[in-house]
Amino acid sequence: FFNDTATPEIYTEQIVGSVRCVQETGLKLCTGDFVIIMDADFSHHPKYIPQFIKKQKETDADIVTGTRYAGSGGVYGWNLFRKLTSRGANFLASTVLGQKCTDLTGSFRLYKKNVICLLYTS
C-alpha cells in the first residue's frame, strides 16, 4: 500500500478464507491512495513495483497491470503443464471476453484505491 508521500508498507498477515476475503481484508487495512495486488508464489517479481508506480504517475491510470507474456516478462520455476495451463486459460479468457490483454489470469496490478473499492462493491 502506498500514497504519494509515503514509503510503501508491506503487510503480512495470515488470513483464512477465499482470495476475495483476503483482498477485502487488505483493502480495509490500506491507508494509502493505491493498492498493489500480486500472487504470493513469486510468479511476478516485486522488483517491478517501482515501474508500476512510475507508470501510474506518468499516465494517471486507474489500473496498471503486469504481464508474464510480453516484453521481458516471463515465468520462472513453472513446469510445462503449468505454463500450458496458463497459456490456455489466457487464450480462452481473451477469446471469450474479446480482450487483447496478454495476461488476464495474472494477479500483478496496481489500482487506485477508490477504483478497486468500486470494483469490489459493484
Side-chain angles (χ1 to χ4, degrees):
F1 310 112
F2 71 96
N3 58 39
D4 284 337
T5 60
T7 304
E9 292 182 61
I10 299 174
Y11 292 94
T12 58
E13 185 174 325
Q14 186 172 0
I15 302 167
V16 178
S18 67
V19 171
R20 183 177 178 106
C21 174
V22 171
Q23 291 174 344
E24 287 175 348
T25 301
L27 286 174
K28 290 175 188 169
L29 293 170
C30 181
T31 60
D33 300 318
F34 300 91
V35 177
I36 296 173
I37 294 177
M38 63 188 296
D39 294 331
D41 66 356
F42 289 105
S43 58
H44 309 285
H45 200 291
K47 71 181 180 182
Y48 296 108
I49 291 173
Q51 291 177 21
F52 277 48
I53 295 168
K54 180 180 177 197
K55 182 60 76 175
Q56 195 290 321
K57 287 182 178 182
E58 291 172 356
T59 63
D60 194 35
D62 291 334
I63 302 170
V64 177
T65 186
T67 179
R68 298 169 282 201
Y69 302 119
S72 61
V75 291
Y76 307 98
W78 284 15
N79 63 34
L80 181 60
F81 179 75
R82 186 167 180 194
K83 289 178 183 179
L84 290 173
T85 301
S86 177
R87 286 289 195 170
N90 275 292
F91 175 76
L92 179 63
S94 64
T95 301
V96 170
L97 299 173
Q99 298 295 312
K100 300 207 187 288
C101 294
T102 58
D103 196 355
L104 289 169
T105 63
S107 293
F108 193 22
R109 296 186 183 95
L110 176 152
Y111 295 87
K112 286 183 178 176
K113 184 179 178 189
N114 65 319
V115 171
I116 194 168
C117 287
L118 284 172
L119 292 172
Y120 272 91
T121 59
S122 61

